[in-house]
Amino acid sequence: MGASLAMIQEGSVRENAELTKTAADRILKHPAPKHQPWTIIADADQAAFKQSLLSYD
């Protein structure tokens, strides 16, 4: 996921739409659980993780 994010950023900076799209597709097709995505993060860490996502928004 981190590599895909880096690809999106590089594609944006270089104005390379294909690189950006390829990276976005990799994220969309990532095998993270879709029915309960928070099961990959311990209950005690969920609030901090959600808060950190705001910095990317």
Side-chain angles (χ1 to χ4, degrees), residues 2-53:
S4 295
L5 175 59
M7 286 174 63
I8 289 172
Q9 292 171 333
E10 182 177 348
S12 296
V13 168
R14 296 180 184 265
E15 297 181 7
N16 183 333
E18 184 158 342
L19 180 61
T20 303
K21 182 182 180 330
T22 298
D25 287 342
R26 287 174 59 183
I27 290 173
L28 288 172
K29 294 175 184 168
H30 188 273
K34 292 177 179 30
H35 62 286
Q36 291 182 338
W38 296 113
T39 59
I40 61 173
I41 298 177
D43 289 344
D45 298 329
Q46 287 180 13
F49 180 75
K50 289 177 184 179
Q51 186 64 33
S52 72
L53 294 176

